[in-house]
């Protein structure tokens, strides 16, 4: 399969590339580097990415930013960061790609554990992750031509503990290779409309 991996240069994306590269043709997409670059907060940039890449069988997104921080001072502007990037950025990858993807293709987005298992300061990301999961459930029944959509919802990743460990006290970190296998299951299996939780 020809598989686009948006976020291929990140912690989870690199593991997804390692998992799938032996079996598939991958197009590695990052923000600043990669075979192709994109800014998912811009629909023009996403459209340009699809035009550059051409026909494809699957798109995996392991990207998207959101605000994390003190709830007492949380503002609408801070909430909007995750809506524009992790939520609408990933949704726009689907909206702009759904006519271009080949029959029987698949989209796999990334959400996260915070929609189910919150941590202090994570309300904005809890909202975004729940939104992604909801979009996947709804879009799955409307996609045509045998096209599927799933989300992988990882727990905090072991390889990211230097960054996120202080915010996820008591959580069991997940090895990134396990998260990558959930993307394999979504793309190489037949699941549709599922949230693949890797906690
Ligand atoms: N790591 C965890 O513990 C964990 C747990 C649960 C969920 N998640 C979710 O998984 C996703 C990936 O996390 P990660 O830790 O692998 O992130 P990461 O290491 O920071 O990598 C982010 C990736 O996204 C790309 N990117 C950044 N801004 C972009 C933009 N505006 N448009 C397109 N691409 C952009 C980066 O490209 P460049 O390298 O070129 O900047 C990079 O490839 C995020 O949505 C995160 O919320 C992560």
């Amino acid at each position: 399969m020809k598989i686009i991996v948006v976020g291929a240069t990140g912690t989870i994306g690199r593991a997804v590339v390692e998992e799938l590269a032996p079996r598939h043709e991958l197009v590695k997409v990052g923000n600043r580097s990669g075979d192709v670059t994109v800014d998912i907060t811009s629909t023009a940039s996403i459209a340009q990415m699809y035009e550059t890449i051409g026909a494809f069988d699957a798109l995996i997104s392991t990207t998207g930013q959101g605000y994390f921080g003190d709830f007492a001072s949380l503002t609408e502007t801070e909430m909007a960061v995750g809506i524009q990037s992790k939520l609408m950025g990933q949704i726009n990858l689907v909206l702009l790609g759904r006519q271009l993807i080949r029959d029987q293709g698949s989209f796999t987005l990334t959400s996260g554990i915070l929609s189910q298992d919150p941590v202090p300061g994570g309300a904005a990301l809890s909202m975004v992750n729940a939104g992604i999961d909801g979009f996947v459930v709804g879009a799955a029944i409307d996609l045509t031509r045998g096209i599927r959509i799933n989300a992988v919802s990882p727990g905090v990743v072991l390889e990211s503990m230097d960054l996120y460990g202080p915010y996820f006290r008591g959580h069991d970190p997940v090895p990134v290779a396990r998260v990558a296998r959930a993307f394999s299951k979504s793309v190489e299996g037949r699941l549709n409309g599922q949230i693949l939780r890797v906690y």
Side-chain angles (χ1 to χ4, degrees):
M1 279 186 270
K2 181 174 170 185
I3 303 173
I4 303 172
V5 182
V6 181
T9 54
T11 304
I12 295 176
R14 285 195 305 272
V16 168
V17 167
E18 194 174 329
E19 170 67 32
L20 293 175
R23 300 186 290 281
H24 302 283
E25 177 195 349
L26 301 189
V27 183
K28 299 187 276 289
V29 180
N31 184 222
R32 294 163 299 175
S33 64
D35 303 328
V36 179
T37 56
V38 72
D39 175 4
I40 61 162
T41 65
S42 157
T43 51
S45 176
I46 292 172
Q48 179 64 56
M49 176 198 78
Y50 279 129
E51 196 178 324
T52 304
I53 294 172
F56 64 100
D57 300 290
L59 177 130
I60 289 172
S61 167
T62 58
T63 185
Q65 290 164 343
Y67 179 80
F68 199 96
D70 186 27
F71 183 75
S73 60
L74 183 63
T75 65
E76 184 178 0
T77 306
E78 288 160 347
M79 293 294 285
V81 174
I83 294 173
Q84 197 193 356
S85 177
K86 187 170 178 177
L87 181 63
M88 280 316 302
Q90 294 197 92
I91 289 174
N92 282 331
L93 288 170
V94 178
L95 297 183
L96 293 170
R98 70 196 142 155
Q99 311 293 352
L100 308 173
I101 193 168
R102 291 193 182 115
D103 290 359
Q104 315 298 324
S106 70
F107 294 95
T108 308
L109 309 184
T110 302
S111 57
I113 190 172
L114 294 182
S115 59
Q116 305 273 313
D117 192 356
V119 300
L125 270 168
S126 292
M127 173 202 67
V128 161
N129 290 340
I132 294 161
D133 292 350
F135 175 75
V136 161
V137 168
I141 63 167
D142 275 335
L143 282 167
T144 56
R145 302 189 286 115
I147 297 162
R148 301 178 296 109
I149 183 167
N150 298 297
V152 171
S153 179
V156 67
V157 165
L158 186 61
E159 288 77 358
S160 301
M161 283 301 276
D162 281 354
L163 276 175
Y164 304 134
Y167 309 106
F168 284 81
R169 294 293 178 217
H171 281 236
D172 263 340
V174 186
V176 75
R178 260 191 72 205
V179 177
R181 283 192 289 279
F183 286 94
S184 155
K185 192 182 200 180
S186 172
V187 174
E188 297 178 297
R190 291 305 303 160
L191 294 174
N192 190 24
Q194 301 294 305
I195 314 306
L196 283 69
R197 296 190 170 87
V198 190
Y199 297 167

